[in-house]
Amino acid sequence: MGGHVWVSDPGNGSISELSASTGALIRFIRGSKYGFVYPDAIASDGRHIWVANLYGFSVTELQASNGALVRVIKGPKYALAVPNSIASDGTYVWVTSGSSESVTEINAGNGALMRVIKGPRYGFMHPGGIATDATHVWVASSRGFSVTELRSSTGALVRVLQGQPYHFMYPGAIAVGGVHVWVMSSGNPGGVTELEASSGAVVKVIEGARYSFVFPEAIASDRIHVWVVDSGTNSVTELSASTGGLVKVIKGPRDGFKSSVAISSDGTHVWVANPGSSTVTELNAVTGAIVRVL
């Protein structure tokens, strides 16, 4: 994040850049030239900000240093049909498209199309969550109850993970934290599946009332902690990344959590987007204490 926090506002068709240290507004980005039509997902690789425009059928690239527009990427060859999730490792940008049941790989340096990945063998059925560690890419298919692993360098299929041991119930968001991959499921009951990144093997399935999982919406990892936001209980659950053990459940009248849909952490701060209260909540990543509600 480089000292900045980027927040997409789909309904307003805009992006806000905040100071990570103070929460102060640095700039507000909006306008037709940016191609923001329901900007629904956002990713940063330190140099660029990548925004998936759900109903603009496009991806917008901005300079992370100053928010300047680099390009708007769109067109039939990119197969960006309702792009709903995006990830970047600095070399490639990966975009899931729910309507085309595909993943589009873009060159992060020049915006050129690398490949569109689709077909029955990939198991994509409404892909809607994506994460990468620069070696592998993991894609969650909510209607396929599966996670697909690809090689980042070639887009080649590594494996499709599905079945009872994984307990994927409408899997959505994915986070990579070192040697583990964390997959959030929003089905009944909601939960989190921890996988070995190297083999795809199940480490543990985390669910139950004590975790406050009713309708988990998003997940993030800073390699020390795993953070899960749950819109059903208006709470954030903190897990240990090393053990998967419960650290704490954060909720209360002053936290601003309401219909929360996104979460991000840099190891020092945690930010939660709350559409229901039109706020962003900042937490201390070490203690879980509320720093501010913006």
Side-chain angles (χ1 to χ4, degrees):
M1 294 179 189
H4 305 274
V5 181
W6 300 82
V7 183
S8 64
D9 188 339
N12 197 37
S14 63
I15 300 293
S16 295
E17 181 185 355
L18 310 175
S19 166
S21 59
T22 67
L25 178 66
I26 296 174
R27 61 180 55 87
F28 177 76
I29 305 171
R30 185 182 185 187
S32 58
K33 71 173 185 176
Y34 295 99
F36 296 153
V37 182
Y38 208 87
D40 192 46
I42 192 166
S44 172
D45 56 29
R47 295 179 302 161
H48 303 107
I49 305 300
W50 305 89
V51 185
N53 298 299
L54 192 71
Y55 300 134
F57 308 105
S58 64
V59 169
T60 302
E61 179 186 355
L62 306 172
Q63 289 280 2
S65 60
N66 59 17
L69 177 65
V70 178
R71 60 178 63 88
V72 177
I73 301 168
K74 63 187 304 184
K77 70 176 183 177
Y78 289 96
L80 298 172
V82 192
N84 52 18
S85 187
I86 192 166
S88 176
D89 58 18
T91 302
Y92 304 106
V93 181
W94 303 82
V95 189
T96 61
S97 292
S99 291
S100 60
E101 308 284 15
S102 65
V103 171
T104 300
E105 181 186 358
I106 298 168
N107 185 307
N110 59 18
L113 175 66
M114 300 297 296
R115 57 184 61 87
V116 175
I117 304 167
K118 63 186 302 183
R121 72 192 187 102
Y122 294 98
F124 297 151
M125 293 184 67
H126 200 77
I130 194 164
T132 180
D133 63 1
T135 301
H136 299 101
V137 179
W138 289 270
V139 184
S141 292
S142 61
R143 294 176 186 168
F145 300 96
S146 64
V147 169
T148 302
E149 181 184 353
L150 309 170
R151 292 197 185 280
S152 180
S153 58
T154 64
L157 177 66
V158 177
R159 58 179 65 91
V160 178
L161 308 174
Q162 63 182 162
Q164 182 58 35
Y166 297 98
H167 211 276
F168 295 148
M169 296 291 291
Y170 299 102
I174 300 182
V176 183
V179 299
H180 299 131
V181 179
W182 305 82
V183 184
M184 180 216 74
S185 290
S186 59
N188 186 15
V192 173
T193 302
E194 180 186 358
L195 307 172
E196 283 190 354
S198 60
S199 67
V202 176
V203 177
K204 60 175 65 73
V205 176
I206 304 167
E207 61 184 20
R210 73 191 188 105
Y211 295 99
S212 198
F213 294 154
V214 171
F215 196 83
E217 282 275 6
I219 191 167
S221 174
D222 54 27
R223 294 176 177 257
I224 298 174
H225 304 107
V226 177
W227 305 86
V228 184
V229 63
D230 193 292
S231 63
T233 56
N234 293 321
S235 65
V236 169
T237 300
E238 179 187 355
L239 306 172
S240 166
S242 60
T243 68
L246 177 65
V247 178
K248 61 173 69 75
V249 175
I250 305 166
K251 62 187 301 184
R254 297 186 300 109
D255 55 31
F257 301 153
K258 188 175 182 181
S259 303
S260 307
V261 297
I263 190 165
S264 181
S265 174
D266 63 1
T268 302
H269 308 277
V270 179
W271 293 272
V272 184
N274 312 299
S277 60
S278 299
T279 64
V280 171
T281 303
E282 181 186 349
L283 306 173
N284 183 304
V286 178
T287 66
I290 297 171
V291 177
R292 57 180 66 88
V293 178
L294 306 171

